[in-house]
Amino acid sequence: MKSLRATAIVAILLFIAASATVAMPKNARTAGNVKKEQQATRREINETKAKIRDNAARTRRKLDELNNLSARIDRHIVDIDTLHTYVTRLDSDISVVSARVAALDDSVTRFRTDLKNTLRAQRTRRRMHNNVAFVFSASNFNQAYKRMGYLSQLNQWRTGKINRLRGALQQLEIKRQQLEHLHNDKSAALARLNAGRIMLENKRTEEKTMISDLRREGTSLNALLRQKQKKARELDAELDRIIVAEQKRIAAEEKRRAEEKRKADAKRQASNGRKKDAPAAGQTGKSSATSGSGSAAAMSGEAEASRALSGTFEANRGRLLFPVAGKYTIVSVFGRSHHHSLSNIEVNNSGIDIAVAPGTQARASFAGTVSSVFFMAGFQNIVIVRHGSYLTVYAGLTGLRVKKGQAVKAGTVLGTVYTDMDGGEERTVLHFEVRHEREKLNPLEWVR
């Protein structure tokens, strides 16, 4: 009986175990499996983020290359136009000199024929008459003297013809050398012109390839441009905020000075009134009035200096110092316009962007005072220099050499243009603006 009961119990346990085995799915998720899935998901997310970053960096690099290439193409077109104008001028010069050479050639031919006929006539006359015999055959002294004068004039006339021929030959040689130089210059200019046109075609082909690549990166390109525009708007807003705060400070300072002048004038008038009644008090009032007058004179001198500085800046429009020295490329111009290579993309720039070699220093375009120095992500250090009511803005600096409140001269080094190594490529760009308070001006109309 006991064995039967034990057998039944064993059977029941086997049945329960079999049921549990059937109920448990073959691919049941364990804690270890879940952890592995989470790690794989995180890895995929990180890989996706890295791909997005790499794609964005590659797109930005391509856009920078396109901007540089487009700027070089524009400059190359200007060079070709300049060469074409030069060749046209050479053609005009060659035409003028050729006409002069032809005229001189005719003159030389005429002088030679005339001199040849003259010499032939003289040889004929000499065979017929000896000069000495011609003189001594005169009937009297006066006639002999006249014959000697005639022979002298004849000799001078012949010498003059020879000299004119020599002079014409010298001028002809000079003009022929000039014509040869002009032809050589034209040949060299045409060679440069043809080489420039070939290079331009190659660059345009390269530009088309870059444009095609960028258009395939449409999403990344649009995101990059939106980011650029966002940073530009943030910089505009910050500059406007700084300028407004500065205007308020200047207005408050002028108001304070005006109030000090008013009080000084009132005190001077009061002291003048007391002077009539009490000389001693009048002396005190005189001293006080002198002090007030000195303060007003100082204020007037500062205001005049400010007006002179502002006027000087404005008077030098088109001649201000370029913010960098050496080679540079303007990769983005002032104002709102369509991208010169990607026509469906609109660009709005409050200044100009200048690509330079790494290590290039930025310099003040004109004498003034550093009114602000601050940092902004995407633009690095930014320096604002005030020139009266005008301002110049230099964004994208590192290794600053100036500080707020410092007076600078034209050419004073402000700092080094920052080199961005994002994506493994060097990108050294200075953002430069010219403003009349908050009004944005085209920098290329102010600097040379």
Side-chain angles (χ1 to χ4, degrees):
M1 191 72 177
K2 288 182 179 179
S3 60
L4 290 173
R5 185 179 300 171
T7 302
I9 291 171
V10 170
I12 291 170
L13 290 173
L14 291 171
F15 175 77
I16 293 170
S19 300
T21 303
V22 173
M24 179 73 71
K26 292 182 179 179
N27 297 324
R29 295 181 65 191
T30 63
N33 290 338
V34 171
K35 187 174 182 180
K36 289 180 180 178
E37 289 176 3
Q38 289 176 341
Q39 290 175 346
T41 301
R42 281 196 295 270
R43 186 166 55 252
E44 289 177 0
I45 291 172
N46 290 334
E47 288 175 354
T48 302
K49 287 181 178 179
K51 288 179 180 178
I52 292 173
R53 284 196 302 270
D54 291 343
N55 194 34
R58 185 173 61 253
T59 302
R60 194 188 76 167
R61 189 163 58 249
K62 287 180 180 177
L63 184 60
D64 289 340
E65 290 174 358
L66 177 62
N67 287 335
N68 278 312
L69 180 60
S70 298
R72 290 199 300 272
I73 287 174
D74 290 342
R75 191 167 62 245
H76 211 64
I77 290 172
V78 172
D79 292 342
I80 287 175
D81 289 341
T82 302
L83 270 174
H84 189 270
T85 302
Y86 178 58
V87 169
T88 302
R89 185 168 59 81
L90 284 175
D91 282 335
S92 177
D93 292 344
I94 287 172
S95 178
V96 172
V97 175
S98 296
R100 180 59 179 159
V101 167
L104 285 171
D105 211 357
D106 290 341
S107 297
V108 166
T109 301
R110 190 173 62 253
F111 286 154
R112 277 177 172 164
T113 302
D114 190 22
L115 182 60
K116 185 176 180 180
N117 293 333
T118 300
L119 293 176
R120 184 182 293 114
Q122 284 187 344
R123 282 197 298 271
T124 302
R125 186 187 59 76
R126 283 176 179 174
R127 284 196 297 268
M128 296 175 61
H129 301 285
N130 183 276
N131 288 342
V132 176
F134 176 68
V135 172
F136 282 101
S137 64
S139 59
N140 54 52
F141 178 78
N142 288 336
Q143 189 179 41
Y145 182 77
K146 288 180 180 180
R147 287 184 178 185
M148 289 178 61
Y150 166 75
L151 291 174
S152 176
Q153 290 177 0
L154 186 63
N155 188 56
Q156 290 177 2
W157 176 69
R158 182 189 61 190
T159 303
K161 283 182 177 291
I162 293 172
N163 289 337
R164 283 197 297 273
L165 177 59
R166 287 174 179 170
L169 286 170
Q170 289 176 353
Q171 290 184 22
L172 180 61
E173 182 61 24
I174 291 172
K175 288 299 177 183
R176 279 178 173 165
Q177 290 178 1
Q178 183 181 356
L179 185 61
E180 184 179 357
H181 290 156
L182 287 172
H183 278 298
N184 291 338
D185 289 346
K186 180 182 176 181
S187 297
L190 284 173
R192 292 198 303 272
L193 186 60
N194 291 331
R197 285 171 175 163
I198 293 172
M199 188 180 296
L200 179 61
E201 290 302 318
N202 293 337
K203 287 183 178 180
R204 279 178 170 161
T205 302
E206 185 181 352
E207 183 185 39
K208 288 178 182 177
T209 302
M210 285 187 180
I211 291 171
S212 298
D213 291 342
L214 277 171
R215 282 175 177 163
R216 283 195 293 270
E217 304 287 348
T219 303
S220 298
L221 178 61
N222 291 330
L224 175 63
L225 292 172
R226 283 196 299 269
Q227 184 183 18
K228 284 178 173 286
Q229 290 300 310
K230 180 183 177 183
K231 289 180 179 179
R233 288 193 297 270
E234 289 174 353
L235 177 60
D236 278 345
E238 182 63 14
L239 290 174
D240 287 343
R241 185 193 67 76
I242 290 172
I243 292 171
V244 168
E246 197 169 89
Q247 286 175 327
K248 290 180 179 178
R249 181 186 60 78
I250 293 173
E253 182 68 14
E254 290 178 349
K255 183 177 180 180
R256 182 187 65 79
R257 289 179 176 177
E259 181 64 17
E260 287 181 355
K261 182 178 183 301
R262 185 190 63 78
K263 289 180 179 179
D265 291 342
K267 190 173 183 179
R268 184 171 62 253
Q269 290 175 359
S271 65
N272 289 337
R274 287 194 301 271
K275 182 179 179 182
K276 295 178 181 179
D277 300 329
Q283 292 174 0
T284 304
K286 181 178 180 180
S287 174
S288 183
T290 302
S291 176
S293 175
S295 176
M299 178 199 68
S300 176
E302 290 176 6
E304 184 62 32
S306 176
R307 283 195 297 272
L309 182 62
S310 174
T312 303
F313 185 93
E314 188 173 11
N316 283 277
R317 176 172 179 167
R319 299 190 298 271
L320 299 178
L321 198 63
F322 203 79
V324 294
K327 293 183 178 180
Y328 63 87
T329 301
I330 297 174
V331 295
S332 182
V333 295
F334 172 79
R336 185 182 298 274
S337 60
H338 287 282
H339 194 282
H340 45 289
S341 299
L342 302 168
S343 56
N344 61 323
I345 295 175
E346 188 177 66
V347 179
N348 187 24
N349 197 344
S350 298
I352 58 174
D353 294 331
I354 309 164
V356 294
T360 299
Q361 293 178 327
R363 58 187 182 181
S365 292
F366 197 72
T369 303
V370 178
S371 64
S372 184
V373 178
F374 63 99
F375 179 90
M376 177 176 285
F379 288 96
Q380 298 300 310
N381 293 295
I382 301 166
V383 174
I384 303 176
V385 180
R386 177 169 284 277
H387 319 273
S389 60
Y390 289 86
L391 303 101
T392 49
V393 181
Y394 311 79
L397 300 180
T398 186
L400 294 177
R401 304 276 290 274
V402 294
K403 59 184 178 180
K404 183 177 180 179
Q406 179 178 337
V408 296
K409 299 179 180 179
T412 297
V413 175
L414 306 176
T416 303
V417 183
Y418 175 75
T419 298
D420 188 356
M421 295 295 294
D422 187 19
E425 294 289 333
E426 292 182 345
R427 181 176 182 272
T428 311
V429 177
L430 174 71
H431 178 74
F432 176 66
E433 296 186 20
V434 176
R435 295 193 174 204
H436 185 216
E437 297 300 355
R438 294 178 63 186
E439 179 188 0
K440 302 163 190 173
L441 307 172
N442 186 354
L444 293 180
E445 295 178 356
W446 290 83
V447 296
R448 67 176 189 273

